[in-house]
Amino acid sequence: MPRTAPTVPRFYPSEPETLDEPAEPPRARGSRKKRVLLWLLRWSFIASVWLALACAVMVLWYSRDLPRPESALDAARRPSLILQDRSGHVIASFGDLVGEPLRLKDFPAALPAAVVAVEDRRFWHHHGIDPVGLLRAAVVNLTAGHVVQGGSTLTQQVAKTLFLTNARTTKRKVQELLLTLWLERHFTKTEILEIYLNRVYLGAGAWGMDAAAKTYFNVSARHLTLPQAAVLAGLPRAPSRFNPRVNPAAALARGREVLAAMVENGDLTAQQAQAATAQIAFPSAPSAPGWFADWVADQSQTLVAPDADATLRTTLDGRDQAVAEARLTAVLDGPGVAAGVSQGAVIILDTASGAVRAMVGGRNFRESSYNRAVLSRRQPGSAFKPFVWLTALEIGMTPDDTVMDAPLRIGAWSPTNIERRYLGEITLEEALAQSVNTASVRILLKSGGPKAVAATAARLGIADKLPNDASLALGTGEVGLMELTAAYAPFFNGGNRIVPHGLDRMPHQPDRVVDPDKAAMMARMLGAVVNRGTGRAASVPGRSVAGKTGTTQDFRDAWFVGSTKGVLIGVWLGNDDNEPMKAVTGGGLPARLFHDIAASID
């Protein structure tokens, strides 16, 4: 029998064999999704509760030392000190300057419009925080690649200006937010803008638009023009960088930005903005006699009540100050360059009262505020000799008495004349006129020695300690220009010692320290110095001029101190590092500088 093939099981696709569990019923799947959703909702609620609690704790924590908002208009500031010259013009200010508090209606309409346009265009529509402004600023900054716009509102700026610092901390941001919401709740929009305009810092110590208007444009904020308003509105972002006095170009560019913002905000037409841009101009800053102002500010501390604003009239003559500055600059930038002179100082005093009419403490106050007219101590050389001669007069000598000009030796020291020649027997007047060194030493020795001469100098106002040896006759003791100049006053005012002062409130009673007859003799001999002696370059045609030259060893210092028309003028030239000048004597550049100043003042 034929074999039959075995039967083999066949698997068809329509009957798949699987090991998977049976599919979950639809109802079970729905229940599982519901459980997950409930779990998410529950934990979301718990998380939101904890987040709310954390926020509340954070707010409470940062609120513990929150400034009192009620003090918004009484924020502390440094008291201001305003100094005027003798004519009443402001020459300097210290501390914080606050102008007249003005209402919004008192400002020209252009000013608040400019501020809103450049700082917070949606100010009138938001509630203190502006999400739209924040988003716009973020887009602009991302597009520019750096910070171009800020997102803070005017209300936020008021909160920060009045109560907080510029610290970039979480604490400051939270407190700023809280104070912003408080301001929006307790003040109207008009009041918030008024607070901003009256309290924002605008550089140069000026707080508020009125103070800034007076500082930069010499007008009240009530009378600001559109170009001026644009400049002031642009200052809050960077008061130092956009300060018109420091950087007028940057202030002009910022003013243009403000005008452009006003055009975009619909406050101006393009033609109006263009016309206003062309009119932006800054008045020249008044001459700021920095050395004098700092010196007087120190004097004022005894006159002004603590924490009180003050305006003080000083003795400064603005015209004399300008003349002294200009003439010193001309010498230093002109002949002084070739002569190796890099610094100088000038003082002008009233001969009768000691009032300081001008003070120049160096070449340039911005480069160096060190006051060489007051603080520097240098050897005066022969400018000290008048005190030797006065001592001689007070023991009975006269200008017509004689003294020997001849070689002299005292121990190992042998003084010589600058010209290396000797005149023999000459009168005291001629010895002073020609500034004879050997005669000065002989007169000092005849008059009681260095202690007697030092006592005479101290009586007339030289407060510095002087050497106790015969070299004092040649001016080896270090003195200051102002005290040396003031010590000459008794020679020309009848014998009265003066005290240099810069404030009208500090009068000093005359103090007779020299017999009037002796003072007249000294004036006569100092006149001979200018008429026919070493100080001839100081003479001014048609005027009576008297004074004395001074030159120190190796030409390190050169002086001229003299009197004309009721004022004393002291001049010093030299170098801060004590480097020698190139043969500069007191009868050269200093005497010529005295002449230039004396001929230009009344």
Side-chain angles (χ1 to χ4, degrees), residues 500-556:
H501 60 277
L503 292 171
D504 275 349
R505 292 190 188 181
M506 300 180 69
H508 296 271
Q509 295 298 321
D511 183 12
R512 179 67 56 78
V513 293
V514 178
D515 179 82
D517 291 337
K518 302 296 189 296
M521 293 179 190
M522 286 301 306
R524 164 190 155 183
M525 290 190 287
L526 290 170
V529 173
V530 176
N531 294 333
R532 63 178 187 273
T534 59
R536 287 189 294 272
S539 64
V540 179
R543 282 196 188 179
S544 174
V545 177
K548 185 68 186 75
T549 58
T551 309
T552 62
Q553 191 172 18
D554 297 326
F555 306 104
R556 299 181 189 277

